[in-house]
Amino acid sequence: MTKTLIVPGLDGSPAPHWQHWWAQTDPHAQMVDLSFPHHPSPEVWEFELAGAILQHPDTVLVGHSLGAVLIARLLTKWPHLRVSAALLVAPAETAGNDYIGHFGAIPEQSLDLPAIVVGSRNDPWMSFERASALAGVWGAQLVDLGDAGHVNVASGYGPWPQGKALAAMLRPEPLATAPRRMAHKEGGLWL
């Protein structure tokens, strides 16, 4: 079974956050322990996430907020890392942000793997239009959650089964069925 690495953002994802719930309820999921969650260092976080991927090759990455941005940074800087897919939930805008601006610009190039960006129309950390534009340049499918805030505890997201269902859509098929339906990229979308 493919491992799911859950990548928290600024301040981590303690209970009752949906990422914490996911890590506790899925035996194939593991929260990535990132140093200094209240004062993130992009270089340290990249190193720590890369190390987790090397321990669990062909993983599915599930990032929230700054964790989603970290995933995009890592995949564009180190495309040779063995990652199967990415679920990027409520990415946080770094440009002009006093708390996370030091994280640097969000990469705007294809991630070259199956990906889904989950956006909210009233996310205080990133406009839906920006999330939609990033999904386009990343080659990711966009899921519109409507008015879902930042898809965090403050927005009412503890357990979030829909997140698990979205990640399941990205999982590679078992070898027994792979020859019948191979994933391929067509028109910027993974099918």
Side-chain angles (χ1 to χ4, degrees):
M1 180 85 177
T2 303
K3 188 78 163 178
T4 300
L5 291 179
I6 299 174
V7 185
L10 182 67
D11 298 327
S13 295
H17 194 284
W18 61 267
Q19 285 189 309
H20 181 270
W21 165 80
W22 190 334
Q24 296 299 307
T25 60
D26 182 348
H28 301 290
Q30 175 182 324
M31 185 79 73
V32 177
D33 187 24
L34 299 172
S35 299
F36 310 108
H38 305 297
H39 303 285
S41 163
E43 293 80 16
V44 170
W45 277 21
E46 286 174 7
F47 178 78
E48 291 171 340
L49 179 54
I53 293 167
L54 291 172
Q55 289 179 5
H56 303 285
D58 304 317
T59 189
V60 172
L61 300 176
V62 177
H64 177 255
S65 190
L66 194 58
V69 173
L70 171 64
I71 290 169
R73 284 176 57 108
L74 192 69
L75 293 176
T76 55
K77 282 176 95 170
W78 298 338
H80 61 281
L81 288 171
R82 290 177 48 192
V83 174
S84 294
L87 176 62
L88 308 168
V89 181
E93 182 61 72
T94 55
N97 188 301
D98 292 340
Y99 296 112
I100 58 173
H102 70 281
F103 221 76
I106 296 174
E108 297 194 26
Q109 63 193 68
S110 177
L111 302 181
D112 290 328
L113 52 69
I116 294 174
V117 172
V118 178
S120 167
R121 297 205 171 251
N122 64 342
D123 188 340
W125 286 86
M126 180 178 284
S127 72
F128 182 77
E129 292 75 20
R130 174 76 163 136
S132 178
L134 285 173
V137 297
W138 289 342
Q141 178 184 348
L142 177 67
V143 172
D144 180 353
L145 284 187
D147 291 336
H150 193 50
V151 195
N152 59 4
V153 174
S155 305
Y157 286 85
W160 185 42
Q162 184 182 6
K164 285 185 178 183
L166 290 170
M169 291 172 40
L170 292 168
R171 290 195 188 290
E173 294 188 43
L175 292 176
T177 60
R180 284 188 255 142
R181 254 185 76 200
M182 298 297 287
H184 64 281
K185 197 168 187 179
E186 184 174 296
L189 295 178
W190 288 87
L191 306 172

